[in-house]
Amino acid sequence: MNVPEDLLYTETHEWIRREGDKVRVGITDHAQSELTDVVYVELPKMDRQANAKEAIAVVESVKAASDIYAPVKGTVVEVNKALEADPGLINREPYGQGWIFVLKIDNPDDLKQLKDAAAYRAVIRG
Amino acid sequence: MSETVQKTTPLYEEHVRRGAKIIPFGGWLMPVQYTSIVGEHQAVRNNVGIFDISHMGQLIVSGPAAGKWLNTMLTNNTDKLGVGQGQYTFLLSEDGGIIDDLIVYRIEKGEFLLVVNAARTDEDFAWLDRHRPTDVDLKNRSADFGGVAIQGPRVAQLFHALFGEDVDLPARNHIVDLGLDGAKVSVARTGYTGEDGVEVFFHTKDAVKFWNAVLEKGEPFGIKPCGLGARDTLRLEVCYPLNGSDLSPERNPIEAGLGFFVDLTKPKFIGREALLKTKENGSPEKLVAFRMQAKGPPPRPHYLVFENGERIGEVTSGTLSPSLNYGIGMAYVSAPHTKIGAQIDIEIRGQKFPAIIEKKPLYKKS
């Protein structure tokens, strides 16, 4: 499974890319593979404030619905509308066009709670 | 709580070797998908696919009185079965609740093969054994036999490529014994996908050889190995019920809309009195099929069903239909609200999404 070195991760299988005072969030290659074909994405509402580990989106595969969590405290400033027409982007490009939302983060120090690639690899190895 | 040991089929190593994603299902480790549920679904709708169904139970009932006795245990009429014929039927408890749905084949004059749901095999066996007269023999051959389902519009071509151009496909719901490279296999023209297809039963020692032979011979026809994920979307599009979801000991075949497979003219079978009462009084709820009216989240089991704000039922099966590209499902709905074309709402995460009650099946070959 692809676990890029330059991203941060949660144990609930979100990836996080830092972009200044914002973070872009999606689900990992491992997560999309476990979920199987994604058929629907419920995006978070714009300007919504979320606490770390709060469920703010839902990714539905043929088999099941899965919550997606805010990795850190922040405000939703961008959502990936392309997923409404083509939810399969999450399967095809989990780290690229399949991103789900962007959060403006309250406190950059919160990112220290997240896992690096090596720690996430240990999570998915179980 | 004791730890449950998950069983594996004789094809388990093949599934792993081919990279299938494995999940626990009814006490078994089974492939849920190889590459994509949707891709496997389309292979079956357009070409052909093969499923491991070795987890399903296989019971043999035999003896001179076998037919007569089975007819008192099952809802459909086994007297109508000639040698080599099968029928869909139910095993009920006294109160009409569904213990299992199954296919019974008459394989010899006095010998029947019952193909039952994996998770119910032991319960079915115990129930039958408890009611069995001494002159009827009951055997659970599940550990020694496996099976595959080969399903899709190109199944006839593949059948002839496997068994020879001059060998006839069995007629619908018929079963025949055929040879393949020294192995004896039983081929039934049955399935759970809404496509033409066969289900093939064989001794476990022949499982891997047969599986690989089908995949090799099926390559020119675009065959794909398929998992339980596609099996579920395929069956739901044609509204075949899933035991444990749409059928349960709390439901009877009349409520499930499957009265066609119950012969109430038979003088005696377990559950008959309860079904007669249901027929007379009407069932309070019925299993209906529905389709979401717009794109949106797919319906799932246990979502609640509403009509004009009033709660009228609960979803038992739901998914996004790969063929229709809409959310579809089945739900038990209170009887006054089951009209075809009725507008209903499915509650998904606190929000109501409009759906429409449709005629079964939801998907029909164009």
Side-chain angles (χ1 to χ4, degrees), chain B residues 164-200:
Chain B
E165 290 303 326
D166 52 346
V167 177
D168 288 331
L169 254 176
R172 191 162 175 75
N173 291 325
H174 283 60
I175 190 167
V176 292
D177 286 342
L178 295 173
L180 189 81
D181 292 341
K184 190 196 106 171
V185 301
S186 302
V187 181
R189 190 85 169 271
T190 47
Y192 192 50
T193 61
E195 296 296 330
D196 189 8
V198 293
E199 292 177 304
V200 185

PDB file of all heavy atoms in Angstrom, chain B residues 164-200:
ATOM      1  N   GLY B 164     -17.838 -29.908 -23.579  1.00  0.00           N
ATOM      2  CA  GLY B 164     -17.951 -30.422 -24.937  1.00  0.00           C
ATOM      3  C   GLY B 164     -19.162 -29.851 -25.643  1.00  0.00           C
ATOM      4  O   GLY B 164     -20.195 -29.593 -25.014  1.00  0.00           O
ATOM      5  N   GLU B 165     -19.014 -29.678 -26.950  1.00  0.00           N
ATOM      6  CA  GLU B 165     -20.077 -29.050 -27.748  1.00  0.00           C
ATOM      7  C   GLU B 165     -21.342 -29.903 -27.780  1.00  0.00           C
ATOM      8  O   GLU B 165     -22.439 -29.392 -27.943  1.00  0.00           O
ATOM      9  CB  GLU B 165     -19.588 -28.783 -29.179  1.00  0.00           C
ATOM     10  CG  GLU B 165     -18.549 -27.673 -29.289  1.00  0.00           C
ATOM     11  CD  GLU B 165     -19.012 -26.329 -28.721  1.00  0.00           C
ATOM     12  OE1 GLU B 165     -20.221 -26.005 -28.831  1.00  0.00           O
ATOM     13  OE2 GLU B 165     -18.163 -25.608 -28.150  1.00  0.00           O
ATOM     14  N   ASP B 166     -21.183 -31.238 -27.646  1.00  0.00           N
ATOM     15  CA  ASP B 166     -22.338 -32.129 -27.801  1.00  0.00           C
ATOM     16  C   ASP B 166     -23.032 -32.422 -26.469  1.00  0.00           C
ATOM     17  O   ASP B 166     -23.976 -33.204 -26.413  1.00  0.00           O
ATOM     18  CB  ASP B 166     -21.911 -33.430 -28.492  1.00  0.00           C
ATOM     19  CG  ASP B 166     -20.712 -34.066 -27.803  1.00  0.00           C
ATOM     20  OD1 ASP B 166     -20.059 -33.374 -26.978  1.00  0.00           O
ATOM     21  OD2 ASP B 166     -20.416 -35.247 -28.075  1.00  0.00           O
ATOM     22  N   VAL B 167     -22.534 -31.814 -25.380  1.00  0.00           N
ATOM     23  CA  VAL B 167     -23.173 -32.035 -24.077  1.00  0.00           C
ATOM     24  C   VAL B 167     -24.211 -30.932 -23.859  1.00  0.00           C
ATOM     25  O   VAL B 167     -23.920 -29.758 -24.039  1.00  0.00           O
ATOM     26  CB  VAL B 167     -22.124 -32.022 -22.938  1.00  0.00           C
ATOM     27  CG1 VAL B 167     -22.800 -32.179 -21.585  1.00  0.00           C
ATOM     28  CG2 VAL B 167     -21.093 -33.117 -23.157  1.00  0.00           C
ATOM     29  N   ASP B 168     -25.431 -31.355 -23.499  1.00  0.00           N
ATOM     30  CA  ASP B 168     -26.507 -30.375 -23.316  1.00  0.00           C
ATOM     31  C   ASP B 168     -26.447 -29.729 -21.937  1.00  0.00           C
ATOM     32  O   ASP B 168     -26.237 -30.410 -20.934  1.00  0.00           O
ATOM     33  CB  ASP B 168     -27.878 -31.054 -23.470  1.00  0.00           C
ATOM     34  CG  ASP B 168     -28.154 -31.417 -24.916  1.00  0.00           C
ATOM     35  OD1 ASP B 168     -27.631 -30.714 -25.807  1.00  0.00           O
ATOM     36  OD2 ASP B 168     -28.868 -32.420 -25.144  1.00  0.00           O
ATOM     37  N   LEU B 169     -26.687 -28.436 -21.908  1.00  0.00           N
ATOM     38  CA  LEU B 169     -26.900 -27.736 -20.639  1.00  0.00           C
ATOM     39  C   LEU B 169     -28.178 -28.282 -20.012  1.00  0.00           C
ATOM     40  O   LEU B 169     -29.159 -28.502 -20.726  1.00  0.00           O
ATOM     41  CB  LEU B 169     -27.122 -26.252 -20.913  1.00  0.00           C
ATOM     42  CG  LEU B 169     -26.055 -25.226 -20.608  1.00  0.00           C
ATOM     43  CD1 LEU B 169     -26.547 -23.873 -21.081  1.00  0.00           C
ATOM     44  CD2 LEU B 169     -25.712 -25.166 -19.133  1.00  0.00           C
ATOM     45  N   PRO B 170     -28.189 -28.508 -18.712  1.00  0.00           N
ATOM     46  CA  PRO B 170     -29.458 -28.897 -18.090  1.00  0.00           C
ATOM     47  C   PRO B 170     -30.488 -27.773 -18.263  1.00  0.00           C
ATOM     48  O   PRO B 170     -30.123 -26.608 -18.366  1.00  0.00           O
ATOM     49  CB  PRO B 170     -29.094 -29.099 -16.619  1.00  0.00           C
ATOM     50  CG  PRO B 170     -27.801 -28.374 -16.416  1.00  0.00           C
ATOM     51  CD  PRO B 170     -27.090 -28.386 -17.738  1.00  0.00           C
ATOM     52  N   ALA B 171     -31.767 -28.148 -18.308  1.00  0.00           N
ATOM     53  CA  ALA B 171     -32.836 -27.142 -18.394  1.00  0.00           C
ATOM     54  C   ALA B 171     -32.911 -26.385 -17.075  1.00  0.00           C
ATOM     55  O   ALA B 171     -32.356 -26.819 -16.058  1.00  0.00           O
ATOM     56  CB  ALA B 171     -34.165 -27.822 -18.689  1.00  0.00           C
ATOM     57  N   ARG B 172     -33.607 -25.264 -17.082  1.00  0.00           N
ATOM     58  CA  ARG B 172     -33.735 -24.432 -15.881  1.00  0.00           C
ATOM     59  C   ARG B 172     -34.218 -25.257 -14.683  1.00  0.00           C
ATOM     60  O   ARG B 172     -35.155 -26.041 -14.794  1.00  0.00           O
ATOM     61  CB  ARG B 172     -34.729 -23.313 -16.170  1.00  0.00           C
ATOM     62  CG  ARG B 172     -34.739 -22.260 -15.090  1.00  0.00           C
ATOM     63  CD  ARG B 172     -35.373 -20.965 -15.560  1.00  0.00           C
ATOM     64  NE  ARG B 172     -35.450 -20.060 -14.436  1.00  0.00           N
ATOM     65  CZ  ARG B 172     -34.401 -19.402 -13.934  1.00  0.00           C
ATOM     66  NH1 ARG B 172     -33.226 -19.530 -14.480  1.00  0.00           N
ATOM     67  NH2 ARG B 172     -34.523 -18.614 -12.889  1.00  0.00           N
ATOM     68  N   ASN B 173     -33.517 -25.101 -13.556  1.00  0.00           N
ATOM     69  CA  ASN B 173     -33.819 -25.824 -12.305  1.00  0.00           C
ATOM     70  C   ASN B 173     -33.574 -27.335 -12.375  1.00  0.00           C
ATOM     71  O   ASN B 173     -33.997 -28.061 -11.480  1.00  0.00           O
ATOM     72  CB  ASN B 173     -35.259 -25.576 -11.841  1.00  0.00           C
ATOM     73  CG  ASN B 173     -35.448 -24.145 -11.386  1.00  0.00           C
ATOM     74  OD1 ASN B 173     -34.527 -23.545 -10.812  1.00  0.00           O
ATOM     75  ND2 ASN B 173     -36.604 -23.586 -11.651  1.00  0.00           N
ATOM     76  N   HIS B 174     -32.900 -27.793 -13.431  1.00  0.00           N
ATOM     77  CA  HIS B 174     -32.541 -29.209 -13.511  1.00  0.00           C
ATOM     78  C   HIS B 174     -31.079 -29.391 -13.117  1.00  0.00           C
ATOM     79  O   HIS B 174     -30.280 -28.471 -13.207  1.00  0.00           O
ATOM     80  CB  HIS B 174     -32.762 -29.745 -14.931  1.00  0.00           C
ATOM     81  CG  HIS B 174     -34.196 -30.008 -15.241  1.00  0.00           C
ATOM     82  ND1 HIS B 174     -35.152 -29.022 -15.209  1.00  0.00           N
ATOM     83  CD2 HIS B 174     -34.840 -31.149 -15.596  1.00  0.00           C
ATOM     84  CE1 HIS B 174     -36.328 -29.547 -15.529  1.00  0.00           C
ATOM     85  NE2 HIS B 174     -36.164 -30.841 -15.772  1.00  0.00           N
ATOM     86  N   ILE B 175     -30.752 -30.620 -12.718  1.00  0.00           N
ATOM     87  CA  ILE B 175     -29.380 -30.931 -12.304  1.00  0.00           C
ATOM     88  C   ILE B 175     -28.938 -32.208 -13.020  1.00  0.00           C
ATOM     89  O   ILE B 175     -29.735 -33.139 -13.175  1.00  0.00           O
ATOM     90  CB  ILE B 175     -29.303 -31.063 -10.759  1.00  0.00           C
ATOM     91  CG1 ILE B 175     -27.844 -31.146 -10.278  1.00  0.00           C
ATOM     92  CG2 ILE B 175     -30.114 -32.253 -10.237  1.00  0.00           C
ATOM     93  CD1 ILE B 175     -27.688 -30.961  -8.762  1.00  0.00           C
ATOM     94  N   VAL B 176     -27.697 -32.214 -13.521  1.00  0.00           N
ATOM     95  CA  VAL B 176     -27.153 -33.415 -14.178  1.00  0.00           C
ATOM     96  C   VAL B 176     -25.742 -33.688 -13.663  1.00  0.00           C
ATOM     97  O   VAL B 176     -25.027 -32.764 -13.264  1.00  0.00           O
ATOM     98  CB  VAL B 176     -27.072 -33.269 -15.719  1.00  0.00           C
ATOM     99  CG1 VAL B 176     -28.452 -33.224 -16.340  1.00  0.00           C
ATOM    100  CG2 VAL B 176     -26.244 -32.069 -16.130  1.00  0.00           C
ATOM    101  N   ASP B 177     -25.356 -34.960 -13.691  1.00  0.00           N
ATOM    102  CA  ASP B 177     -23.983 -35.334 -13.349  1.00  0.00           C
ATOM    103  C   ASP B 177     -23.155 -35.393 -14.620  1.00  0.00           C
ATOM    104  O   ASP B 177     -23.558 -36.019 -15.600  1.00  0.00           O
ATOM    105  CB  ASP B 177     -23.966 -36.699 -12.651  1.00  0.00           C
ATOM    106  CG  ASP B 177     -24.483 -36.610 -11.225  1.00  0.00           C
ATOM    107  OD1 ASP B 177     -24.522 -35.479 -10.683  1.00  0.00           O
ATOM    108  OD2 ASP B 177     -24.855 -37.650 -10.661  1.00  0.00           O
ATOM    109  N   LEU B 178     -21.997 -34.736 -14.589  1.00  0.00           N
ATOM    110  CA  LEU B 178     -21.115 -34.726 -15.754  1.00  0.00           C
ATOM    111  C   LEU B 178     -19.694 -35.024 -15.298  1.00  0.00           C
ATOM    112  O   LEU B 178     -19.362 -34.890 -14.119  1.00  0.00           O
ATOM    113  CB  LEU B 178     -21.150 -33.354 -16.443  1.00  0.00           C
ATOM    114  CG  LEU B 178     -22.492 -32.927 -17.066  1.00  0.00           C
ATOM    115  CD1 LEU B 178     -22.414 -31.487 -17.543  1.00  0.00           C
ATOM    116  CD2 LEU B 178     -22.873 -33.855 -18.226  1.00  0.00           C
ATOM    117  N   GLY B 179     -18.862 -35.439 -16.259  1.00  0.00           N
ATOM    118  CA  GLY B 179     -17.460 -35.705 -15.946  1.00  0.00           C
ATOM    119  C   GLY B 179     -16.576 -34.614 -16.508  1.00  0.00           C
ATOM    120  O   GLY B 179     -16.864 -34.037 -17.558  1.00  0.00           O
ATOM    121  N   LEU B 180     -15.504 -34.312 -15.775  1.00  0.00           N
ATOM    122  CA  LEU B 180     -14.528 -33.353 -16.285  1.00  0.00           C
ATOM    123  C   LEU B 180     -13.152 -33.787 -15.781  1.00  0.00           C
ATOM    124  O   LEU B 180     -12.881 -33.727 -14.581  1.00  0.00           O
ATOM    125  CB  LEU B 180     -14.845 -31.934 -15.793  1.00  0.00           C
ATOM    126  CG  LEU B 180     -14.012 -30.847 -16.458  1.00  0.00           C
ATOM    127  CD1 LEU B 180     -14.577 -30.495 -17.820  1.00  0.00           C
ATOM    128  CD2 LEU B 180     -13.934 -29.598 -15.587  1.00  0.00           C
ATOM    129  N   ASP B 181     -12.312 -34.241 -16.700  1.00  0.00           N
ATOM    130  CA  ASP B 181     -10.961 -34.704 -16.344  1.00  0.00           C
ATOM    131  C   ASP B 181     -10.987 -35.697 -15.181  1.00  0.00           C
ATOM    132  O   ASP B 181     -10.205 -35.575 -14.236  1.00  0.00           O
ATOM    133  CB  ASP B 181     -10.054 -33.520 -15.955  1.00  0.00           C
ATOM    134  CG  ASP B 181      -9.753 -32.626 -17.141  1.00  0.00           C
ATOM    135  OD1 ASP B 181      -9.919 -33.098 -18.292  1.00  0.00           O
ATOM    136  OD2 ASP B 181      -9.373 -31.465 -16.922  1.00  0.00           O
ATOM    137  N   GLY B 182     -11.891 -36.647 -15.259  1.00  0.00           N
ATOM    138  CA  GLY B 182     -11.930 -37.681 -14.221  1.00  0.00           C
ATOM    139  C   GLY B 182     -12.690 -37.300 -12.968  1.00  0.00           C
ATOM    140  O   GLY B 182     -12.894 -38.133 -12.095  1.00  0.00           O
ATOM    141  N   ALA B 183     -13.103 -36.044 -12.865  1.00  0.00           N
ATOM    142  CA  ALA B 183     -13.876 -35.635 -11.685  1.00  0.00           C
ATOM    143  C   ALA B 183     -15.364 -35.691 -12.024  1.00  0.00           C
ATOM    144  O   ALA B 183     -15.771 -35.327 -13.130  1.00  0.00           O
ATOM    145  CB  ALA B 183     -13.494 -34.215 -11.282  1.00  0.00           C
ATOM    146  N   LYS B 184     -16.166 -36.145 -11.048  1.00  0.00           N
ATOM    147  CA  LYS B 184     -17.616 -36.124 -11.236  1.00  0.00           C
ATOM    148  C   LYS B 184     -18.162 -34.829 -10.641  1.00  0.00           C
ATOM    149  O   LYS B 184     -17.899 -34.515  -9.477  1.00  0.00           O
ATOM    150  CB  LYS B 184     -18.260 -37.321 -10.540  1.00  0.00           C
ATOM    151  CG  LYS B 184     -19.730 -37.500 -10.906  1.00  0.00           C
ATOM    152  CD  LYS B 184     -20.464 -38.417  -9.952  1.00  0.00           C
ATOM    153  CE  LYS B 184     -21.377 -37.592  -9.060  1.00  0.00           C
ATOM    154  NZ  LYS B 184     -22.289 -38.405  -8.235  1.00  0.00           N
ATOM    155  N   VAL B 185     -18.884 -34.068 -11.444  1.00  0.00           N
ATOM    156  CA  VAL B 185     -19.488 -32.838 -10.928  1.00  0.00           C
ATOM    157  C   VAL B 185     -20.981 -32.854 -11.217  1.00  0.00           C
ATOM    158  O   VAL B 185     -21.425 -33.460 -12.194  1.00  0.00           O
ATOM    159  CB  VAL B 185     -18.843 -31.565 -11.542  1.00  0.00           C
ATOM    160  CG1 VAL B 185     -17.349 -31.519 -11.258  1.00  0.00           C
ATOM    161  CG2 VAL B 185     -19.087 -31.477 -13.045  1.00  0.00           C
ATOM    162  N   SER B 186     -21.765 -32.220 -10.353  1.00  0.00           N
ATOM    163  CA  SER B 186     -23.199 -32.070 -10.585  1.00  0.00           C
ATOM    164  C   SER B 186     -23.465 -30.638 -11.012  1.00  0.00           C
ATOM    165  O   SER B 186     -23.082 -29.696 -10.304  1.00  0.00           O
ATOM    166  CB  SER B 186     -23.984 -32.376  -9.308  1.00  0.00           C
ATOM    167  OG  SER B 186     -23.694 -33.686  -8.876  1.00  0.00           O
ATOM    168  N   VAL B 187     -24.096 -30.470 -12.160  1.00  0.00           N
ATOM    169  CA  VAL B 187     -24.324 -29.140 -12.719  1.00  0.00           C
ATOM    170  C   VAL B 187     -25.818 -28.830 -12.671  1.00  0.00           C
ATOM    171  O   VAL B 187     -26.623 -29.556 -13.256  1.00  0.00           O
ATOM    172  CB  VAL B 187     -23.827 -29.059 -14.180  1.00  0.00           C
ATOM    173  CG1 VAL B 187     -24.057 -27.657 -14.742  1.00  0.00           C
ATOM    174  CG2 VAL B 187     -22.349 -29.430 -14.269  1.00  0.00           C
ATOM    175  N   ALA B 188     -26.172 -27.767 -11.971  1.00  0.00           N
ATOM    176  CA  ALA B 188     -27.584 -27.358 -11.865  1.00  0.00           C
ATOM    177  C   ALA B 188     -27.761 -26.023 -12.567  1.00  0.00           C
ATOM    178  O   ALA B 188     -26.905 -25.141 -12.464  1.00  0.00           O
ATOM    179  CB  ALA B 188     -27.981 -27.235 -10.402  1.00  0.00           C
ATOM    180  N   ARG B 189     -28.871 -25.886 -13.277  1.00  0.00           N
ATOM    181  CA  ARG B 189     -29.140 -24.603 -13.963  1.00  0.00           C
ATOM    182  C   ARG B 189     -29.898 -23.688 -13.003  1.00  0.00           C
ATOM    183  O   ARG B 189     -31.110 -23.490 -13.113  1.00  0.00           O
ATOM    184  CB  ARG B 189     -29.965 -24.884 -15.224  1.00  0.00           C
ATOM    185  CG  ARG B 189     -30.117 -23.697 -16.165  1.00  0.00           C
ATOM    186  CD  ARG B 189     -28.944 -23.585 -17.103  1.00  0.00           C
ATOM    187  NE  ARG B 189     -29.145 -22.634 -18.193  1.00  0.00           N
ATOM    188  CZ  ARG B 189     -29.676 -22.931 -19.371  1.00  0.00           C
ATOM    189  NH1 ARG B 189     -30.101 -24.147 -19.630  1.00  0.00           N
ATOM    190  NH2 ARG B 189     -29.788 -22.009 -20.305  1.00  0.00           N
ATOM    191  N   THR B 190     -29.171 -23.164 -12.035  1.00  0.00           N
ATOM    192  CA  THR B 190     -29.770 -22.315 -10.996  1.00  0.00           C
ATOM    193  C   THR B 190     -28.807 -21.165 -10.702  1.00  0.00           C
ATOM    194  O   THR B 190     -27.684 -21.154 -11.212  1.00  0.00           O
ATOM    195  CB  THR B 190     -29.984 -23.114  -9.694  1.00  0.00           C
ATOM    196  OG1 THR B 190     -28.783 -23.840  -9.403  1.00  0.00           O
ATOM    197  CG2 THR B 190     -31.142 -24.087  -9.810  1.00  0.00           C
ATOM    198  N   GLY B 191     -29.232 -20.233  -9.893  1.00  0.00           N
ATOM    199  CA  GLY B 191     -28.341 -19.131  -9.537  1.00  0.00           C
ATOM    200  C   GLY B 191     -29.024 -18.095  -8.674  1.00  0.00           C
ATOM    201  O   GLY B 191     -30.197 -18.237  -8.321  1.00  0.00           O
ATOM    202  N   TYR B 192     -28.242 -17.049  -8.373  1.00  0.00           N
ATOM    203  CA  TYR B 192     -28.684 -16.051  -7.394  1.00  0.00           C
ATOM    204  C   TYR B 192     -28.336 -14.666  -7.922  1.00  0.00           C
ATOM    205  O   TYR B 192     -28.027 -13.766  -7.170  1.00  0.00           O
ATOM    206  CB  TYR B 192     -27.946 -16.360  -6.089  1.00  0.00           C
ATOM    207  CG  TYR B 192     -28.408 -15.652  -4.827  1.00  0.00           C
ATOM    208  CD1 TYR B 192     -29.749 -15.631  -4.454  1.00  0.00           C
ATOM    209  CD2 TYR B 192     -27.478 -15.048  -3.993  1.00  0.00           C
ATOM    210  CE1 TYR B 192     -30.137 -15.011  -3.285  1.00  0.00           C
ATOM    211  CE2 TYR B 192     -27.859 -14.427  -2.814  1.00  0.00           C
ATOM    212  CZ  TYR B 192     -29.196 -14.409  -2.463  1.00  0.00           C
ATOM    213  OH  TYR B 192     -29.574 -13.796  -1.292  1.00  0.00           O
ATOM    214  N   THR B 193     -28.354 -14.527  -9.267  1.00  0.00           N
ATOM    215  CA  THR B 193     -27.893 -13.267  -9.860  1.00  0.00           C
ATOM    216  C   THR B 193     -28.900 -12.648 -10.822  1.00  0.00           C
ATOM    217  O   THR B 193     -28.729 -11.495 -11.217  1.00  0.00           O
ATOM    218  CB  THR B 193     -26.586 -13.482 -10.660  1.00  0.00           C
ATOM    219  OG1 THR B 193     -26.851 -14.409 -11.730  1.00  0.00           O
ATOM    220  CG2 THR B 193     -25.484 -14.029  -9.773  1.00  0.00           C
ATOM    221  N   GLY B 194     -29.923 -13.415 -11.227  1.00  0.00           N
ATOM    222  CA  GLY B 194     -30.843 -12.917 -12.240  1.00  0.00           C
ATOM    223  C   GLY B 194     -30.338 -13.129 -13.654  1.00  0.00           C
ATOM    224  O   GLY B 194     -31.004 -12.734 -14.616  1.00  0.00           O
ATOM    225  N   GLU B 195     -29.154 -13.720 -13.795  1.00  0.00           N
ATOM    226  CA  GLU B 195     -28.629 -14.042 -15.123  1.00  0.00           C
ATOM    227  C   GLU B 195     -28.774 -15.536 -15.359  1.00  0.00           C
ATOM    228  O   GLU B 195     -28.967 -16.307 -14.427  1.00  0.00           O
ATOM    229  CB  GLU B 195     -27.132 -13.660 -15.212  1.00  0.00           C
ATOM    230  CG  GLU B 195     -26.856 -12.188 -15.070  1.00  0.00           C
ATOM    231  CD  GLU B 195     -27.447 -11.347 -16.196  1.00  0.00           C
ATOM    232  OE1 GLU B 195     -27.575 -11.865 -17.328  1.00  0.00           O
ATOM    233  OE2 GLU B 195     -27.797 -10.186 -15.934  1.00  0.00           O
ATOM    234  N   ASP B 196     -28.642 -15.934 -16.624  1.00  0.00           N
ATOM    235  CA  ASP B 196     -28.522 -17.357 -16.908  1.00  0.00           C
ATOM    236  C   ASP B 196     -27.285 -17.845 -16.152  1.00  0.00           C
ATOM    237  O   ASP B 196     -26.315 -17.106 -16.004  1.00  0.00           O
ATOM    238  CB  ASP B 196     -28.344 -17.558 -18.417  1.00  0.00           C
ATOM    239  CG  ASP B 196     -28.445 -19.029 -18.808  1.00  0.00           C
ATOM    240  OD1 ASP B 196     -28.802 -19.865 -17.941  1.00  0.00           O
ATOM    241  OD2 ASP B 196     -28.175 -19.340 -19.978  1.00  0.00           O
ATOM    242  N   GLY B 197     -27.336 -19.085 -15.691  1.00  0.00           N
ATOM    243  CA  GLY B 197     -26.162 -19.559 -14.970  1.00  0.00           C
ATOM    244  C   GLY B 197     -26.315 -20.975 -14.470  1.00  0.00           C
ATOM    245  O   GLY B 197     -27.389 -21.579 -14.559  1.00  0.00           O
ATOM    246  N   VAL B 198     -25.205 -21.493 -13.972  1.00  0.00           N
ATOM    247  CA  VAL B 198     -25.222 -22.831 -13.380  1.00  0.00           C
ATOM    248  C   VAL B 198     -24.567 -22.770 -12.002  1.00  0.00           C
ATOM    249  O   VAL B 198     -23.769 -21.871 -11.716  1.00  0.00           O
ATOM    250  CB  VAL B 198     -24.461 -23.865 -14.253  1.00  0.00           C
ATOM    251  CG1 VAL B 198     -25.187 -24.095 -15.572  1.00  0.00           C
ATOM    252  CG2 VAL B 198     -23.012 -23.466 -14.473  1.00  0.00           C
ATOM    253  N   GLU B 199     -24.952 -23.724 -11.172  1.00  0.00           N
ATOM    254  CA  GLU B 199     -24.249 -23.958  -9.922  1.00  0.00           C
ATOM    255  C   GLU B 199     -23.712 -25.383  -9.997  1.00  0.00           C
ATOM    256  O   GLU B 199     -24.436 -26.297 -10.402  1.00  0.00           O
ATOM    257  CB  GLU B 199     -25.185 -23.752  -8.734  1.00  0.00           C
ATOM    258  CG  GLU B 199     -25.566 -22.269  -8.600  1.00  0.00           C
ATOM    259  CD  GLU B 199     -26.562 -21.966  -7.492  1.00  0.00           C
ATOM    260  OE1 GLU B 199     -27.662 -22.554  -7.491  1.00  0.00           O
ATOM    261  OE2 GLU B 199     -26.251 -21.123  -6.640  1.00  0.00           O
ATOM    262  N   VAL B 200     -22.434 -25.542  -9.692  1.00  0.00           N
ATOM    263  CA  VAL B 200     -21.756 -26.820  -9.886  1.00  0.00           C
ATOM    264  C   VAL B 200     -21.246 -27.312  -8.536  1.00  0.00           C
ATOM    265  O   VAL B 200     -20.599 -26.561  -7.801  1.00  0.00           O
ATOM    266  CB  VAL B 200     -20.570 -26.657 -10.872  1.00  0.00           C
ATOM    267  CG1 VAL B 200     -19.938 -28.010 -11.167  1.00  0.00           C
ATOM    268  CG2 VAL B 200     -21.029 -25.994 -12.168  1.00  0.00           C
TER     269      VAL B 200
END
